[in-house]
Amino acid sequence: MTEKKNKDAFSSNFGMIAAAIGSAIGLGNLWRFPYLVGQNGGAAFILVYLIITLLLCTPILLSEMVIGRRGGGSPRGAYVKVTGRKGWGVAGILGMLTCFMIMSFYVVVGGWTIRYLVMSIAPGFHRGAQIDSAAVFSGFVGSNVSPIVYSLIFILLTIGIINLGVQKGIEKTSKLMMPLLFVLIVLIGIRSVTLPGAGAGLDYLFKPDFSQFNFDSLLAALGQSFFSLSLGACMMVTYGAYTPKSSNLTKNAAIITVSDTFFALLAGCAIMPAVFAFGINPSEGAGLVFVTLPQIFTQMPLGGLCAILFFVTLFLAAISSAVSLFEVMTSTIMDMGKARRKTASAITAAILLFTGSICSLSQGALRGITIGGKNIFDQFDYVSSNILMTLGGLLAVICVGWVIGKKTFTDEITAGGTIRVPRTLASVLFFIIKYVAPIVIVTTAISSIF
Ligand code: PFF
């Protein structure tokens, strides 16, 4: 197979890694991870999360990369090419559907981050200001026009990056944004852990409490690992197709996993100590970032600056993930409709503006409409994260483990024998992909139903 020379490919391995880390690090790391840790026994959860992420999810990530690079093109085309069967194209289309569902609520939250960034820069938000942050938040998300306008701004910014193409858009912005994200979160972390009373927050994160860890915690760890690594949504199939032929996929998968997990831990250290220092209940969920933290920022020394830094971080993390979700949809539309990038991205944006608006309105005018007891926003989140991503991950490992087979897998991860990957490592990885991952995914899915 010849190396792709067109501009729909990353120019370097570092570009690929930066873009994939950009996709992985997102809202999932900044608000979901810290409160899940707290709710599920602190270090006990982190330990289980690390085991699942390293031993199970890294091989799944690798499977997606193998399919993408081997097959090339859009996820649908890649699945058809590597399996030689048209029916497998469904896996790619499912990936696009998953991205579409995630993106529908992601653009709404992305819009919130822009609103809060604007607010944090405005003078009223600064130190000493008396704000009822819960009322500000519910007033904003519950209104009918303003959050949609901010979602539209978020979509337009995302499309701006997408239209610049893979190298000039996705790769270049990721290379800039990723190092910046790490610097920002470390700065916020330093401020947070040096607050009086911050130690309790670190205890909350890192003291193991196995009495709080149960089967639901295990499910939460698995779900979080999938969401955080952007698994099962064909993101890595898409980026895999843009990866240079000479790249070491196994090493890349390890770097992406470690960076994403490290960032999640840093996010925990940046948020929880501050929450505890101000004696606030840590299990707020979504409200943690938009209600609790703004309250803290108005009270703490250097709070105004921290607020700006935090919302810049949140925005960068959200947009780099959104870009990857957008790209899966755009590349599929380009491939299936034989459309140009700009046409495909415009179609993607139009669809997302519509579904994003519905998700946004489900916090306001459409609040009364529920499906299975959840509003539309929560239902999109639930179905995509808990059902579609797991199914997507299962299809990827079945495709590699049972259809492509060990010979092709080894050929791809060694780049045709040019990269040295220890035999035992290749065998262990393949064993996990073929047997362990499908068994774990299917059994947890079945057990979660009962
Ligand atoms: N990994 C992202 C986060 O942690 O916020 C979410 C995500 C991005 C999921 C891209 C799936 C995806 F394809």
Side-chain angles (χ1 to χ4, degrees):
M1 222 177 288
T2 54
E3 181 132 358
K4 275 187 115 187
K5 280 275 183 286
N6 65 35
K7 57 185 177 1
D8 275 351
F10 295 121
S11 69
S12 66
N13 192 48
F14 175 63
M16 182 272 168
I17 291 176
I21 294 176
S23 170
I25 294 178
L27 300 168
N29 304 58
L30 281 160
W31 63 265
R32 214 165 176 244
F33 182 77
Y35 81 79
L36 280 178
V37 171
Q39 282 173 347
N40 293 286
F45 180 85
I46 294 184
L47 196 70
V48 174
Y49 177 82
L50 288 180
I51 295 172
I52 291 179
T53 303
L54 286 179
L55 297 184
L56 187 76
C57 290
T58 312
I60 302 177
L61 188 70
L62 183 61
S63 305
E64 290 200 11
M65 285 181 182
V66 165
I67 296 167
R69 191 169 72 175
R70 190 90 186 167
S74 76
R76 190 195 66 92
Y79 266 104
V80 172
K81 193 153 177 200
V82 293
T83 57
R85 290 180 215 151
K86 271 213 151 135
W88 269 96
V90 172
I93 294 173
L94 182 83
M96 182 182 88
L97 188 71
T98 310
C99 286
F100 156 72
M101 288 196 85
I102 298 174
M103 193 65 176
S104 298
F105 66 85
Y106 222 86
V107 295
V108 178
V109 185
W112 297 352
T113 65
I114 297 179
R115 170 76 191 123
Y116 271 74
L117 179 56
V118 172
M119 252 162 57
S120 68
I121 295 168
F125 201 72
H126 285 257
R127 200 165 173 223
Q130 288 296 320
I131 53 161
D132 180 351
S133 53
V136 171
F137 180 67
S138 57
F140 168 62
V141 302
S143 61
N144 293 334
V145 179
S146 174
I148 295 178
V149 172
Y150 280 101
S151 300
L152 177 63
I153 298 172
F154 187 79
I155 293 173
L156 291 176
L157 291 172
T158 311
I159 206 178
I161 297 176
I162 292 287
N163 280 352
L164 287 174
V166 175
Q167 280 178 21
K168 286 198 187 132
I170 304 175
E171 181 174 343
K172 215 168 178 182
T173 49
S174 305
K175 277 179 179 168
L176 283 174
M177 287 197 283
M178 284 315 105
L180 187 61
L181 268 181
F182 276 90
V183 172
L184 287 171
I185 202 74
V186 168
L187 285 180
I188 301 165
I190 292 172
R191 171 64 286 200
S192 184
V193 296
T194 50
L195 286 167
L202 292 173
D203 278 356
Y204 177 81
L205 282 175
F206 296 115
K207 238 191 193 153
D209 179 2
F210 284 96
S211 67
Q212 278 194 48
F213 194 90
N214 51 33
F215 183 70
D216 284 342
S217 314
L218 188 71
L219 287 183
L222 187 66
Q224 173 62 12
S225 187
F226 260 72
F227 190 79
S228 196
L229 286 175
S230 311
L231 291 181
C234 283
M235 187 283 293
M236 259 308 156
V237 179
T238 309
Y239 281 7
Y242 304 155
T243 304
K245 274 285 163 206
S246 53
S247 296
N248 184 338
L249 295 185
T250 317
K251 204 165 147 191
N252 285 5
I255 294 173
I256 295 161
T257 309
V258 170
S259 310
D260 182 58
T261 310
F262 184 56
F263 190 91
L265 292 173
L266 286 176
C269 294
I271 294 171
M272 284 307 163
V275 168
F276 274 81
F278 286 91
I280 288 168
N281 176 12
S283 43
E284 272 279 345
L288 186 70
V289 168
F290 295 103
V291 177
T292 313
L293 287 183
Q295 227 165 44
I296 293 173
F297 290 140
T298 59
Q299 294 168 42
M300 77 187 202
L302 291 178
L305 180 66
C306 278
I308 297 173
L309 292 184
F310 182 78
F311 288 113
V312 168
T313 311
L314 199 62
F315 167 71
L316 294 180
I319 197 155
S320 55
S321 297
V323 161
S324 72
L325 290 158
F326 213 96
E327 180 65 14
V328 176
M329 296 172 67
T330 304
S331 81
T332 307
I333 294 174
M334 275 162 74
D335 174 48
M336 288 174 74
K338 303 272 170 278
R340 285 180 329 127
R341 173 167 285 274
K342 284 199 172 138
T343 316
S345 65
I347 296 171
T348 309
I351 299 173
L352 286 174
L353 181 61
F354 177 68
T355 51
S357 300
I358 292 179
C359 280
S360 180
L361 288 171
S362 74
Q363 318 267 340
L366 302 180
R367 196 178 287 128
I369 301 176
T370 56
I371 309 164
K374 290 186 169 65
N375 71 22
I376 301 169
F377 183 106
D378 291 342
Q379 195 57 260
F380 268 49
D381 182 3
Y382 178 80
V383 171
S384 53
S385 316
N386 294 10
I387 301 171
L388 295 179
M389 290 179 95
T390 329
L391 188 59
L394 181 64
L395 288 174
V397 286
I398 290 178
C399 175
V400 173
W402 296 88
V403 183
I404 294 182
K406 190 172 177 184
K407 199 162 161 286
T408 309
F409 169 76
T410 313
D411 184 60
E412 196 55 43
I413 62 168
T414 59
T418 57
I419 293 170
R420 225 188 74 77
V421 177
R423 269 179 161 220
T424 343
L425 178 63
S427 298
V428 170
L429 286 170
F430 190 75
F431 181 80
I432 295 175
I433 290 168
K434 185 165 183 175
Y435 300 105
V436 183
I439 292 172
V440 172
I441 294 174
V442 171
T443 43
T444 45
I446 293 174
S447 348
S448 66
I449 296 170
F450 299 106

